[in-house]
Amino acid sequence: MSDPFVVVGADAAGLSAASKFRREAPDREVVVFEKGRWISYAYCGMPYFIEGRVERMSNLLSLSPSEVEERGIDLRRDHEVIAVDSDTKTVAVETAEGETIEQGYDDLLVATGGRAETGSFNVRGLDGAFTLHDMNAAAAIDAYIAEPDAYDPARADVSAVDRERVDRNAAMPAPETAAIVGGGYVGVEMAEALSGRGLDVHLFQRSGHLLPPFGEAVGERVADELEAEGVAVHRGTPVKSLVGDDRIEGVALDGAADSVAADLAIVGVGIRPNTELLDGTGVETGEGGAIRTDEYGRTSLPDVYAAGDCATAVHAVTGEEAWMPLGLTANRAGRAVGATIAGDPSPVGEIAGTAVVKAFDMEAGRAGLVEEETAREAGFDPVRETVTAGSRSGYYPGAAPTDVTLVADRDTGRLIGGSIVGPDRAAIRIDTLATALEADMTVPEVERLDLAYAPPFSPVWDPILVAAKVLNGTLDEE
Amino acid sequence: MSDPFVVVGADAAGLSAASKFRREAPDREVVVFEKGRWISYAYCGMPYFIEGRVERMSNLLSLSPSEVEERGIDLRRDHEVIAVDSDTKTVAVETAEGETIEQGYDDLLVATGGRAETGSFNVRGLDGAFTLHDMNAAAAIDAYIAEPDAYDPARADVSAVDRERVDRNAAMPAPETAAIVGGGYVGVEMAEALSGRGLDVHLFQRSGHLLPPFGEAVGERVADELEAEGVAVHRGTPVKSLVGDDRIEGVALDGAADSVAADLAIVGVGIRPNTELLDGTGVETGEGGAIRTDEYGRTSLPDVYAAGDCATAVHAVTGEEAWMPLGLTANRAGRAVGATIAGDPSPVGEIAGTAVVKAFDMEAGRAGLVEEETAREAGFDPVRETVTAGSRSGYYPGAAPTDVTLVADRDTGRLIGGSIVGPDRAAIRIDTLATALEADMTVPEVERLDLAYAPPFSPVWDPILVAAKVLNGTLDEE
């Protein structure tokens, strides 16, 4: 008898793979091991839960354990896979009871995800200091922010929650001032969320502008929006350390004598791939230290696949290996691996690095290679233009300035990246650029796209077309 | 000395051509003849002016005559070109004074636009009956709707306006009930506009659903929205004739004994290209009776170009000739012709038939070949799926059902068309499909697009990706 398809990790990539596998091969077995209690949660929704826009933590769960089992998936929570032997095709698994069992596999998918970086910051040692990469952290932050007598335990209405941690945080005095370390997605979204909860918010960004992968034009407008909403944005301001004994008291800045007082700190300085399970197996790793995978999600170990935040992918623009831990990437790669293992070889697809973010009423998107340095490193000679154009016909109420940045390769005229920022339906427009990037379009081809026009939605020349026109002019001059 | 570049018609295509030509060839001459007083107005904005969302008619003008002249363009209004002689390369022009002059040209652009069809309806003979294809009609409708003593003449604040017509309509009793004949863009947009002005609105559509080129899924939801807002939508209800002696009294229906009473009628049954100027020249015409043009906008006559609503274009999906009078097409083709004549050969670009429309809070878009019959006529074997998916993550407030229809060719799996409808940022998403169509993507390629995901803007699987997934499943089964 053959062994099952074994999946490590019951989140986006793992459960997408298991579900697709069972749909395609309903008479074959799949076992999913999850080291904790949480499965299938919407990581990207945590800031909106903390903000209070999402009322219950259970709203963020896509699938319950029983729904997973209804799909014919053998889900084992509190089961941590601690070793992989690709010669004997077995994994060693530690159960909740501390037993170690062995499980053979026909194919193995490593979908162990990523975890928040803490850098040099003493996050674990201080009450009121948090990273944001799991639901227990989100529940704890939410409880910590509430006044002790006003906290509603029904907010964290999922049995998997670390109730002891929630209760402990709920009992602490409510904070008034928050320091957010890092101006990436998490930082920007948490700035909005914590302002929404009534806190004074300081956002510290090491480099000169927020959201570095979105480029300067986006960073500037998002910073303006945050400041207009009362967030203190500190750019070019590296945080040296968290200050406090038991509870967070503030953050110390590089080159500044006084620290900035804060009774809540969120450290959002990046995430790293969870690859330790394969340490010592000889598996190849690549960009960002993630597990190297090919176009079908295969690792360098036979019959071992990896998908999601722990795995590399192929970049649509460079054709090279990249590591970009994003939600769609994980879901899609998992699904493709499930199909492939079920007998229907399916490429995991390339990634264009498409991302969107909201900061109060400002929306932004990015795709491809936006920063000059990244483009140069990938072997391009980048030419870039940023234009400001109206989101609608000028006479139609609600028209708002929309900044579009397009980046092209000088030699070939090929579009290699872009960003969009503005308050009026700006973010979703990035999909147009993501599609053009996947199609390897040149900027003249982008300029000739037949994009939509109607006064309530776009001017005759869509902001993307205006940007392409200007960039073509620049390319022609040279 | 050489003759100038001569343009017939001072609207989108004509002025785009003249402006681009002067920028590229600043020492060469361009003369633009316009038979009337109006230039460069935003046709698509007229419903919003009538609705009152746009306060002044002057808001709809893109360029004033003096701005045109500042660009070095010799603009002659009240000059009607009445004949073209492509052998001697001259046009005959009738001036406001009734004189006929001759003007030689090096190159000629015919940008005579289109005009509203009236079908068999007696629009001109009845007060209160209108088509909507020029600013004088828009001003007259606006004046007609107002109570005689409440009309503000400053609404029509453009000197070109037919003041006598406006005054006459303003003096008539205000209407209470409107009949709109035709459920295309004009009909749908005018239904919203007239409801906004407080009228009871009946919308009559000959075929079974509104907005035929958008497909049934869009037509149904737009009809539901109109009805929810109080518009009486009559589908499958051809109007036989307008009823009334001097003033409109109602509309008579095919096969119904009683007519439906109305004291305002808008007839929106299509537009036709203005090609009469070239009658007798032997110029080739094509789709829709429009002037046939090649990829550079050239007609079959030497040195004679055509662009805009009077000219054909090449369809991005079929590669065949098509006639789709739309704003961007006119602007882009005009601009390309201006560049070409100035010495920089520029293709006018293909059209994907991308269009968007708003009906109260409902937004819709379409691109490519959506209707089965059209797809079959173009030689495809269409397979179609419609899905309903959320516009945002389900837990994020404002998520709304979005219907995406994708159409593929069965043999090749190529995407050939699609539509989107929903209340939450649905329309602008059509640009993703327009881009995929121009790139000749297959449905599996669309399914692997790296589209944006963030809870406020899109679920992990964007509605377009969900539709591609489902359509791929259908294609696989066959």
Side-chain angles (χ1 to χ4, degrees):
Chain A
M1 209 190 84
S2 72
D3 281 316
F5 169 33
V6 170
V7 176
V8 188
D11 207 339
L15 288 181
S16 294
S19 300
K20 181 67 179 172
F21 175 81
R22 279 290 299 183
R23 261 200 313 279
E24 303 258 317
D27 45 6
R28 289 171 63 191
E29 225 187 309
V30 54
V31 182
V32 178
F33 294 112
E34 168 54 49
K35 71 174 176 178
R37 301 289 304 159
W38 291 97
I39 66 159
S40 186
Y41 62 86
Y43 167 68
C44 298
M46 293 191 296
Y48 309 106
F49 169 74
I50 293 168
E51 185 175 11
R53 241 182 242 270
V54 175
E55 230 171 288
R56 296 273 179 265
M57 187 150 259
S58 58
N59 299 144
L60 299 185
L61 296 176
S62 311
L63 284 174
S64 68
S66 60
E67 285 167 331
V68 171
E69 274 153 22
E70 276 161 28
R71 293 182 179 184
I73 297 166
D74 182 358
L75 172 66
R76 313 228 193 124
R77 294 188 294 164
D78 289 323
H79 279 64
E80 182 172 6
V81 176
I82 53 173
V84 173
D85 186 332
S86 65
D87 293 330
T88 60
K89 297 184 75 168
T90 54
V91 292
V93 187
E94 203 171 271
T95 68
E97 294 75 33
E99 277 181 283
T100 301
I101 56 174
E102 288 223 329
Q103 170 70 51
Y105 63 80
D106 258 12
D107 295 283
L108 177 70
L109 171 62
V110 178
T112 43
R115 64 179 178 280
E117 292 261 23
T118 54
S120 60
F121 300 107
N122 174 29
V123 176
R124 295 223 165 163
L126 289 172
D127 286 340
F130 303 89
T131 58
L132 181 66
H133 197 69
D134 66 48
M135 297 292 266
N136 284 327
I141 295 169
D142 176 59
Y144 180 75
I145 295 170
E147 292 288 347
D149 52 359
Y151 177 69
D152 174 8
R155 288 268 294 157
D157 62 338
V158 179
S159 67
V161 83
D162 181 345
R163 181 64 56 189
E164 187 277 329
R165 186 176 172 197
V166 167
D167 290 346
R168 204 166 53 78
N169 276 281
M172 295 180 203
E176 291 176 358
T177 305
I180 300 174
V181 183
Y185 311 92
V186 169
V188 166
E189 289 170 354
M190 285 304 294
E192 178 180 345
L194 298 177
S195 291
R197 290 289 290 266
L199 277 78
D200 280 332
V201 178
H202 290 264
L203 177 60
F204 298 93
Q205 165 66 2
R206 175 177 293 273
S207 66
H209 66 84
L210 299 181
L211 296 166
F214 285 70
E216 204 167 333
V218 171
E220 289 302 310
R221 285 195 71 182
V222 167
D224 290 349
E225 177 77 5
L226 292 175
E227 282 175 339
E229 296 284 346
V231 174
V233 178
H234 308 266
R235 280 162 286 187
T237 309
V239 171
K240 195 167 60 188
S241 60
L242 304 184
V243 176
D245 291 325
D246 299 319
R247 194 188 189 202
I248 183 83
E249 288 164 19
V251 296
L253 304 180
D254 269 2
D258 295 334
S259 62
V260 176
D263 42 13
L264 167 60
I266 307 284
V267 174
V269 295
I271 80 161
R272 70 162 68 173
N274 293 329
T275 61
E276 290 76 2
L277 173 59
L278 296 183
D279 280 356
T281 60
V283 76
E284 285 177 28
T285 56
E287 279 293 308
I291 303 164
R292 174 165 291 159
T293 57
D294 70 5
E295 63 174 315
Y296 290 98
R298 292 179 293 220
T299 71
S300 60
L301 301 177
D303 303 319
V304 179
Y305 296 73
D309 292 358
C310 64
T312 67
V314 172
H315 196 284
V317 176
T318 65
E320 306 285 328
E321 181 176 278
W323 177 64
M324 294 186 176
L326 288 167
L328 174 60
T329 312
N331 277 273
R332 195 172 49 181
R335 188 167 184 274
V337 167
T340 297
I341 293 175
D344 172 21
S346 303
V348 295
E350 300 178 333
I351 51 172
T354 313
V356 283
V357 67
K358 172 183 175 312
F360 296 97
D361 291 329
M362 194 57 65
E363 306 184 355
R366 58 92 60 218
L369 309 176
V370 179
E371 293 167 291
E372 194 160 310
E373 203 183 310
T374 321
R376 283 197 197 289
E377 279 167 13
F380 295 106
D381 182 4
V383 185
R384 171 154 67 165
E385 289 289 354
T386 299
V387 303
T388 303
S391 61
R392 313 178 179 192
S393 294
Y395 54 79
Y396 197 93
T402 304
D403 295 340
V404 178
T405 299
L406 294 183
V407 189
D409 180 44
R410 195 182 307 266
D411 294 340
T412 58
R414 181 178 159 204
L415 181 75
I416 60 171
S419 72
I420 307 185
V421 61
D424 180 32
R425 296 189 183 91
I428 205 72
R429 289 178 193 264
I430 201 68
D431 286 346
T432 304
L433 293 186
T435 306
L437 287 170
E438 300 238 18
D440 294 343
M441 281 188 181
T442 64
V443 182
E445 285 170 339
V446 173
E447 187 184 336
R448 286 195 295 271
L449 284 174
D450 189 8
L451 301 185
Y453 158 51
F457 305 124
S458 171
V460 177
W461 294 96
D462 186 274
I464 289 174
L465 299 180
V466 176
K469 242 192 309 195
V470 171
L471 183 52
N472 272 329
T474 308
L475 287 166
D476 280 348
E477 281 163 21
E478 294 176 357
Chain B
M1 210 189 82
S2 72
D3 280 316
F5 169 32
V6 169
V7 175
V8 188
D11 207 339
L15 288 181
S16 295
S19 300
K20 181 68 177 171
F21 176 80
R22 279 290 299 182
R23 262 200 312 279
E24 303 258 317
D27 44 7
R28 289 171 63 190
E29 226 185 309
V30 55
V31 182
V32 178
F33 294 111
E34 168 55 49
K35 71 174 175 178
R37 300 291 302 160
W38 292 95
I39 66 161
S40 187
Y41 62 86
Y43 168 67
C44 299
M46 293 190 298
Y48 309 105
F49 169 74
I50 293 168
E51 185 174 12
R53 240 182 241 269
V54 176
E55 229 172 287
R56 296 276 179 261
M57 189 151 258
S58 59
N59 299 144
L60 299 184
L61 295 176
S62 311
L63 284 173
S64 67
S66 59
E67 285 167 332
V68 171
E69 275 154 21
E70 276 161 28
R71 293 182 177 184
I73 296 166
D74 182 356
L75 172 67
R76 311 225 193 129
R77 295 190 293 165
D78 289 324
H79 279 64
E80 182 173 6
V81 176
I82 53 173
V84 172
D85 185 332
S86 65
D87 293 329
T88 60
K89 297 183 74 168
T90 54
V91 292
V93 187
E94 202 170 273
T95 68
E97 293 75 33
E99 275 180 286
T100 301
I101 57 173
E102 288 224 326
Q103 170 69 53
Y105 63 79
D106 258 14
D107 294 285
L108 177 71
L109 171 62
V110 177
T112 43
R115 63 180 179 278
E117 292 259 23
T118 54
S120 61
F121 300 107
N122 174 30
V123 176
R124 295 225 164 164
L126 289 171
D127 286 339
F130 302 89
T131 58
L132 182 66
H133 197 67
D134 65 50
M135 297 292 266
N136 284 326
I141 295 168
D142 176 59
Y144 180 76
I145 295 169
E147 291 289 346
D149 52 359
Y151 177 68
D152 174 8
R155 288 268 294 158
D157 63 340
V158 178
S159 67
V161 82
D162 182 344
R163 182 64 56 185
E164 187 276 330
R165 185 176 172 194
V166 168
D167 290 345
R168 204 165 55 78
N169 276 282
M172 295 180 200
E176 291 177 359
T177 305
I180 299 174
V181 183
Y185 310 93
V186 168
V188 167
E189 289 170 353
M190 285 303 295
E192 178 180 345
L194 298 177
S195 291
R197 291 287 293 268
L199 276 79
D200 280 333
V201 178
H202 290 265
L203 177 60
F204 298 92
Q205 166 66 4
R206 175 177 293 274
S207 66
H209 66 83
L210 299 181
L211 295 167
F214 284 72
E216 203 166 334
V218 171
E220 288 304 309
R221 286 195 69 184
V222 167
D224 289 349
E225 177 76 4
L226 291 175
E227 282 174 342
E229 295 285 345
V231 173
V233 179
H234 308 266
R235 280 162 285 188
T237 310
V239 172
K240 196 167 59 188
S241 60
L242 304 185
V243 177
D245 291 325
D246 299 318
R247 193 185 190 204
I248 183 83
E249 288 165 20
V251 296
L253 306 178
D254 269 1
D258 295 333
S259 60
V260 176
D263 41 14
L264 166 62
I266 307 283
V267 174
V269 294
I271 79 160
R272 69 161 70 173
N274 293 329
T275 60
E276 291 75 3
L277 173 58
L278 296 182
D279 280 357
T281 62
V283 76
E284 284 178 29
T285 56
E287 279 293 309
I291 303 166
R292 175 165 290 159
T293 56
D294 70 8
E295 64 173 316
Y296 290 97
R298 291 180 292 222
T299 70
S300 60
L301 301 177
D303 303 318
V304 178
Y305 297 73
D309 291 359
C310 64
T312 66
V314 173
H315 196 283
V317 175
T318 65
E320 305 285 328
E321 182 175 277
W323 177 65
M324 293 185 176
L326 287 168
L328 175 60
T329 311
N331 277 272
R332 195 171 47 181
R335 188 167 184 273
V337 167
T340 298
I341 293 175
D344 173 21
S346 303
V348 296
E350 299 178 334
I351 51 173
T354 313
V356 284
V357 68
K358 172 182 177 309
F360 296 97
D361 291 329
M362 194 57 65
E363 306 184 355
R366 56 94 60 220
L369 309 175
V370 179
E371 293 166 291
E372 195 160 311
E373 203 184 309
T374 321
R376 283 198 196 288
E377 280 168 11
F380 296 105
D381 182 5
V383 186
R384 171 154 65 167
E385 288 289 354
T386 298
V387 304
T388 303
S391 60
R392 313 177 178 193
S393 294
Y395 54 81
Y396 196 93
T402 304
D403 295 340
V404 177
T405 298
L406 294 183
V407 189
D409 179 45
R410 193 181 309 264
D411 294 340
T412 59
R414 180 177 161 206
L415 179 76
I416 60 170
S419 73
I420 307 184
V421 62
D424 181 31
R425 297 188 181 91
I428 205 71
R429 289 179 193 263
I430 201 69
D431 285 347
T432 304
L433 295 184
T435 306
L437 287 170
E438 299 237 18
D440 293 344
M441 283 187 178
T442 64
V443 181
E445 286 169 337
V446 172
E447 187 184 336
R448 287 194 295 271
L449 284 174
D450 188 8
L451 301 186
Y453 158 51
F457 305 124
S458 172
V460 177
W461 294 97
D462 185 273
I464 289 174
L465 300 179
V466 176
K469 241 189 315 194
V470 172
L471 182 53
N472 271 329
T474 307
L475 286 166
D476 279 349
E477 280 164 21
E478 294 178 355

